[in-house]
Amino acid sequence: MANVVVVGTQWGDEGKGKIVDWLSERADVIARFQGGHNAGHTLVIGEQVYKLHALPSGVVRGGKLSVIGNGVVLDPWHLVKEIETVRAQGVTISADTLMIAENTPLILPLHGELDRGREEAANPGTKIGTTGRGIGPAYEDKVGRRAIRVADLADKATLEARVDRALEHHNALRKGLGMDPVDRAALVQALEDIAPAILEYAAPVWKVLNEKRKAGKRILFEGAQGALLDIDFGTYPFVTSSNVIAGQAAAGTGLGPNAIEYVLGITKAYTTRVGEGPFPTELEDDDGQRLGERGHEFGTTTGRKRRCGWFDACLVRQTCATSGVSGIALTKLDVLDGFETLKICVGYELDGRTLDYLPTAADQQARATPIYETIEGWSASTAGARSWADLPAQAIKYVRRIEELIDCPVALVSTSPERDDTILVKDPFAD
């Protein structure tokens, strides 16, 4: 039995939530390994719609253990509210079904304030396009060795020492931005008040997961965002503040890299992006508007309208390589129904050269123009298809051409938000 890592192969919003939910039925443990509550997963189960931001997608499935790993940064106040919300929808959450790594760093109110303050003060053209929820500053504190972690909530003396160290840094930054210093007493009190609600779920996740693995349990590793937002391999600096690629699943949960046995890359049949940054295949015409409307392209977390464009095979091929993707789950194929012609980016023109990858330098990324291959579209509907026989011949040709261009096989095809509207080619959990 394989342990499976799920990663987005584009800029996020590829439909990971549905696929993770679909896979979680066969998993014993579902573990989040990076990111914060700046990413959202929408799950549609029957008539019920769940919008999750911090909780692993597995929480809506009874009998599963959901884990928030140390690679995540966690806003404890948001988590408590999210738990209350899903409980109100009939989901049971307890220490038996949810576990938080003791070494998970916390997102504090000061992180969100700094995030928003810096973004507002940024010069034109330098805004990152963050959600303003403090994820970036929380990761900065982690690597700066001034983070407050879940385990620190259990001891008042340790907690106060950690707060003092953090405030030495943050109050200096706030002064430079014209912000008032942090109210130390109020912050300590807020942390002490929230502590019992978080410590209820705290555990040595690395130990538990290693024991689960030795016992032959199936582990599903769930990432947030998409690999093109990876802090190292994304379109820097317009990226998130953590490693998104599949290798982070090991470091972000406390398992060794040999625990990763199959990497499933979630890939939208076209391309979208939220926020700032380069987007070579972006469409600012009727086709782009049509993709956005038909795909309901608005962010789960922010509600921001997503930028839309044609499928970029070069970018997906890159992320399949950097994440070691075993197979892709192609989502939202039905959004392309009715287009007379479709385009796929197969390369870039840059300063008279032809490239088969997106260069690293930001100025070159901004100047790269796509080279397109045009493919005939289809008029019949693919919505709700559950087998290859249900797909128009031209839709199958489109899928096969994508496989060729990204040098990676298709394992699943998703044809609607409903979990059962899925064509299974290769079960990632199969031996």
Side-chain angles (χ1 to χ4, degrees):
M1 297 182 293
N3 294 324
V4 177
V5 178
V6 174
V7 295
T9 62
Q10 294 153 309
W11 279 291
D13 307 309
E14 301 96 347
K16 292 186 293 298
K18 170 195 166 171
I19 302 299
V20 169
D21 175 60
W22 190 86
L23 289 169
S24 67
E25 193 170 49
R26 290 183 290 286
D28 300 297
V29 182
I30 297 89
R32 272 281 307 270
F33 62 85
Q34 55 80 217
H37 64 301
N38 55 338
H41 290 164
T42 300
L43 309 180
V44 180
I45 302 175
E47 299 298 317
Q48 193 71 266
V49 178
Y50 303 94
K51 293 184 181 292
L52 306 178
H53 305 276
L55 288 168
S57 297
V59 296
V60 300
R61 293 288 166 193
K64 312 291 181 181
L65 174 61
S66 291
V67 170
I68 296 175
N70 58 277
V72 172
V73 286
L74 180 67
D75 182 325
W77 297 276
H78 173 89
L79 179 67
V80 169
K81 289 180 181 178
E82 191 168 312
I83 289 173
E84 291 172 353
T85 298
V86 297
R87 276 180 175 158
Q89 292 181 279
V91 177
T92 299
I93 297 180
S94 69
D96 293 326
T97 61
L98 177 64
M99 187 177 294
I100 304 172
E102 295 169 320
N103 51 341
T104 300
L106 299 181
I107 302 172
L108 309 178
L110 58 84
H111 291 130
E113 292 164 2
L114 177 60
D115 203 356
R116 295 185 292 273
R118 288 195 301 204
E119 194 78 345
E120 290 168 4
N123 293 324
T126 64
K127 293 182 185 294
I128 300 298
T130 77
T131 60
R133 298 195 172 196
I135 283 77
Y139 274 116
E140 291 174 36
D141 278 1
K142 175 182 177 177
V143 299
R145 293 166 292 184
R146 55 181 172 267
I148 296 167
R149 306 197 295 181
V150 168
D152 300 329
L153 296 174
D155 181 73
K156 181 176 176 62
T158 300
L159 178 61
E160 291 195 358
R162 296 282 190 270
V163 167
D164 287 340
R165 178 171 172 80
L167 294 190
E168 287 177 5
H169 175 81
H170 281 274
N171 281 334
L173 286 178
R174 293 168 74 92
K175 184 177 181 180
L177 289 167
M179 300 167 66
D180 293 333
V182 174
D183 185 331
R184 178 190 184 278
L187 176 58
V188 171
Q189 187 62 57
L191 287 166
E192 289 180 341
D193 291 345
I194 201 72
I198 300 302
L199 291 172
E200 175 185 354
Y201 306 104
V205 158
W206 67 269
K207 184 175 186 295
V208 173
L209 290 185
N210 274 280
E211 289 170 352
K212 294 284 187 184
R213 186 179 175 225
K214 288 178 181 177
K217 302 298 184 182
R218 290 176 169 178
I219 303 172
L220 180 62
F221 300 92
E222 175 187 11
Q225 289 99 18
L228 292 173
L229 294 176
D230 184 272
I231 188 69
D232 288 311
F233 293 100
T235 48
Y236 191 90
F238 304 101
V239 292
T240 195
S241 300
S242 60
N243 285 112
V244 181
I245 59 175
Q248 176 63 19
T253 58
L255 283 168
N258 61 348
I260 300 173
E261 294 160 316
Y262 191 98
V263 179
L264 181 67
I266 315 302
T267 307
K268 194 176 287 187
Y270 49 103
T271 311
T272 61
R273 176 166 198 168
V274 171
E276 306 299 323
F279 184 173
T281 66
E282 183 173 10
L283 296 171
E284 297 179 352
D285 58 11
D286 290 343
D287 285 335
Q289 183 74 14
R290 185 178 178 186
L291 287 171
E293 291 175 355
R294 294 201 58 187
H296 306 290
E297 295 297 352
F298 296 91
T300 301
T301 299
T302 63
R304 288 186 293 179
K305 183 179 179 181
R306 296 172 186 146
R307 301 153 64 189
C308 297
W310 296 121
F311 186 83
D312 193 326
C314 286
L315 287 180
V316 175
R317 185 170 60 243
Q318 283 181 226
T319 56
C320 283
T322 55
S323 273
V325 174
S326 310
I328 68 165
L330 191 67
T331 66
K332 290 200 167 185
L333 184 66
D334 54 303
V335 173
L336 301 180
D337 293 351
F339 279 88
E340 291 187 10
T341 58
L342 302 167
K343 292 182 179 180
I344 298 177
C345 175
V346 296
Y348 307 107
E349 288 285 350
L350 176 65
D351 301 335
R353 297 178 295 146
T354 299
L355 300 178
D356 62 356
Y357 67 97
L358 189 66
T360 300
D363 66 307
Q364 294 182 2
Q365 290 178 352
R367 296 200 312 277
T369 58
I371 300 170
Y372 285 119
E373 178 178 296
T374 301
I375 294 181
E376 181 184 345
W378 55 90
S379 56
S381 174
T382 64
R386 299 183 180 183
S387 72
W388 287 115
D390 296 333
L391 294 178
Q394 200 56 41
I396 295 174
K397 289 182 181 178
Y398 182 78
V399 174
R400 294 305 186 201
R401 184 56 179 150
I402 284 176
E403 284 184 309
E404 293 173 358
L405 290 170
I406 67 174
D407 194 25
C408 188
V410 169
L412 303 166
V413 179
S414 172
T415 56
S416 94
E418 296 293 334
R419 71 190 303 271
D420 292 329
D421 290 342
T422 305
I423 300 170
L424 176 62
V425 182
K426 161 70 176 176
D427 186 348
F429 276 123
D431 292 338

